[in-house]
Structures are given as structure tokens and as C-alpha cells.
Amino acid sequence: MQLAARPSFSRQIRLTAAQNTRRTSVKVMAEMSKQDQLKQEAAWKAVDYVKSGMTVGLGTGSTAAFAVDRIGSLLKSGELKDIVAVPTSIATYEQAKGLGIPLATLDTKPKLDVAIDGADEVDPNLDVVKGRGGALLREKMVELASDKFVCIVDDSKLVSGLGGSKLAMPVEIVQFCHEYTLRKLQALPEVAGCVAKLRMSGDEPYVTDNSNYIVDLYFENEPIKDSYAAAKAIEAICGVVEHGLFMDMVDVCIIAGANGVEVKERK
């Protein structure tokens, strides 16, 4: 009986490495929470919108981080080439830099092909709340500069109306007389019923990458009645830098849930 030839030592090493990689991948997936698995599914689907030669906006947060990792991996493997990315926070800058992703700013790349970012809430019109990670100003600047904004979420972020999760709707404000600005926000008729709280980091106010403070608005009784009116009223307060209502900005929303990944496009 003829025995099958044994693979060479170098081939054995390659096979073992590939097997270990697969085992590690399976193990990492198994160790991920269900929510993180959904976030990764949405993020990887979003990266399908990225093609070689594009300039890409990189979002901030736990969901966007999966997209940044994926882009870095595809660049390393050669499946993507000639990508330049504009990060929306210092944290994303550090992550992308560590993955070898070429980086730029809006000063040198003022027009982007696509931006990929997560959201804290998504309503049926694909309007979103963003900024609980503190990067709302840079996120909005980068996403407004993009031809296509691809939003990535798991289905826990879906709400009937913005503010409906009863969690924070952030407003970035200057540090100067921040208590005055907080009171002005609290008193707006367009956000009546909300509770305004200065975001803290331990015993000190939370400071954004832009050296500003954040006031978080909580809509504990009902969602915002008119998000457009609320956005306009908040913007009109002197001392407000930016708010977390991203209206008419999302072009594509990728939603990962128990039944798979759903892609919704703005009508």
C-alpha cells in the first residue's frame, strides 16, 4: 500500500499557522458579547463601501472601531490600496495610526468619498443622535464633508423618535460660563421636559478633544417632539459649539440584528 506523501516542514508550519489563526478567530468571536458581534457584522458590511483610492472618514466609538480594524486589515492584506483616512477623534487617530492607515485632515483632504461611523440612536427617517463618546463636533465636520455617510449600528439603537432611549443627547459647549449655557439649554421650549446635566469625568467636567465641555440632555418622559426645531434652537444659543442631532445626514444605515444585517438607504 502506497503511503501519502507528508507535507514539507515549511508547509506544515504554514498549515499550522493558518489553523491557529482560524482557531483564534473563532475563539475571539466566541468571547465577544452578542452585541459586539452585531456591531462587527455591521462594521464589516460598511467597509464594503470603501474602494481602493478613496478618502475615508473614520468614526469614533465601539462600533466604528471595528470598521477601522477591518480597513487596516484589508490594507495589510493588499485587498485595499491607496486609502487615505480622516479620523474624527484622537482615539481613532491613534487606532488608525497603529494599524498603518495613512492619515490626513480636512485641511488637506476637504472632500471625502465616504465616512463610516456609529450612532447612539436611529429613528425611522435615518436621523440620528451621536456624540455620547464625546467626538460629536469632529464627527459632524467629517461626515458633512463626505459624499456618502454610512451609519453602522446594532438594532438596540433603533428608536421611534430621537431622545427615545432616555439616554444622553450631547451638546458641546465652551467652558466659559458653562453653567449659564446649561441653564439656557434647559429653558428652551423646543426641548421642554428634558434634564440638562454637565458631563463629568470623575470629580471634574469632561473635556472634549477640542477643549470644550459637554451638556447631556435627557428626555426621560418622551422623545423630542420636533428634532429639526430643537436642533435650530440649540444652535442659536451663544456658547453652544455643536449638538448631537445629525439631521438629514445619513445616506445608508446598516443595522445588525438577530435575523442578520439590514441595509437601509435614505429615501
Side-chain angles (χ1 to χ4, degrees), residues 242-257:
E242 192 50 83
H243 56 75
L245 294 169
F246 285 50
M247 310 300 294
D248 297 325
M249 287 182 58
V250 173
D251 297 295
V252 179
C253 189
I254 299 175
I255 305 161

Side-chain angles (χ1 to χ4, degrees), residues 150-224:
V150 181
C151 181
I152 47 178
V153 295
D154 65 85
D155 58 5
S156 70
K157 303 301 174 66
L158 302 180
V159 294
S160 60
L162 298 183
S165 70
K166 301 184 179 181
L167 300 175
M169 197 289 284
V171 180
E172 188 163 345
I173 67 170
V174 297
Q175 294 192 28
F176 177 72
C177 294
H178 63 275
E179 292 182 2
Y180 166 83
T181 307
L182 184 152
R183 289 194 295 269
K184 294 285 283 186
L185 286 165
Q186 178 84 64
L188 283 176
E190 291 82 359
V191 294
C194 81
V195 176
K197 296 180 181 180
L198 182 68
R199 185 177 298 187
M200 302 297 290
S201 179
D203 295 329
E204 300 292 329
Y206 173 89
V207 179
T208 71
D209 287 348
N210 315 298
S211 300
N212 295 315
Y213 288 168
I214 287 180
V215 171
D216 287 320
L217 305 184
Y218 294 88
F219 298 86
E220 298 176 348
N221 297 320
E222 60 181 353
I224 303 171

Side-chain angles (χ1 to χ4, degrees), residues 7-17:
S8 66
F9 180 73
S10 61
R11 177 168 170 74
Q12 282 180 312
I13 292 294
R14 289 196 298 273
L15 286 170
T16 301

Side-chain angles (χ1 to χ4, degrees), residues 77-105:
S77 70
E79 294 173 72
L80 280 179
K81 298 178 181 179
D82 303 319
I83 294 294
V84 178
V86 176
T88 55
S89 65
I90 292 172
T92 300
Y93 168 86
E94 295 292 348
Q95 181 192 6
K97 183 180 178 182
L99 292 167
I101 300 173
L103 298 174
T105 69

Side-chain angles (χ1 to χ4, degrees), residues 17-236:
Q19 290 166 348
N20 287 339
T21 299
R22 285 194 294 271
R23 290 192 193 105
T24 300
S25 178
V26 170
K27 183 179 178 183
V28 168
M29 285 295 291
E31 291 175 349
M32 270 189 198
S33 70
K34 182 61 178 176
Q35 188 175 29
D36 280 345
Q37 290 180 34
L38 294 175
K39 289 178 179 181
Q40 186 185 68
E41 287 177 26
W44 284 31
K45 180 68 175 177
V47 176
D48 289 345
Y49 287 85
V50 179
K51 309 300 179 187
S52 293
M54 281 188 169
T55 305
V56 183
L58 301 179
T60 294
S62 59
T63 309
F66 285 115
V68 177
D69 279 340
R70 180 64 171 167
I71 290 170
S73 176
L74 294 176
L75 279 171
K76 186 175 181 180
S77 70
E79 294 173 72
L80 280 179
K81 298 178 181 179
D82 303 319
I83 294 294
V84 178
V86 176
T88 55
S89 65
I90 292 172
T92 300
Y93 168 86
E94 295 292 348
Q95 181 192 6
K97 183 180 178 182
L99 292 167
I101 300 173
L103 298 174
T105 69
L106 291 178
D107 289 336
T108 57
K109 296 290 184 181
K111 186 173 177 59
L112 311 183
D113 296 295
V114 63
I116 299 173
D117 203 356
D120 300 307
E121 295 181 3
V122 181
D123 77 5
N125 297 320
L126 303 188
D127 293 322
V128 302
V129 166
K130 289 181 51 54
R132 289 179 191 154
L136 60 155
L137 173 60
R138 298 190 188 191
E139 288 172 336
K140 190 171 284 190
M141 290 177 69
V142 168
E143 285 142 24
L144 283 171
S146 303
D147 288 340
K148 187 182 291 289
F149 174 21
V150 181
C151 181
I152 47 178
V153 295
D154 65 85
D155 58 5
S156 70
K157 303 301 174 66
L158 302 180
V159 294
S160 60
L162 298 183
S165 70
K166 301 184 179 181
L167 300 175
M169 197 289 284
V171 180
E172 188 163 345
I173 67 170
V174 297
Q175 294 192 28
F176 177 72
C177 294
H178 63 275
E179 292 182 2
Y180 166 83
T181 307
L182 184 152
R183 289 194 295 269
K184 294 285 283 186
L185 286 165
Q186 178 84 64
L188 283 176
E190 291 82 359
V191 294
C194 81
V195 176
K197 296 180 181 180
L198 182 68
R199 185 177 298 187
M200 302 297 290
S201 179
D203 295 329
E204 300 292 329
Y206 173 89
V207 179
T208 71
D209 287 348
N210 315 298
S211 300
N212 295 315
Y213 288 168
I214 287 180
V215 171
D216 287 320
L217 305 184
Y218 294 88
F219 298 86
E220 298 176 348
N221 297 320
E222 60 181 353
I224 303 171
K225 291 181 179 178
D226 185 338
S227 297
Y228 289 94
K232 187 175 181 180
I234 292 168
E235 289 167 0

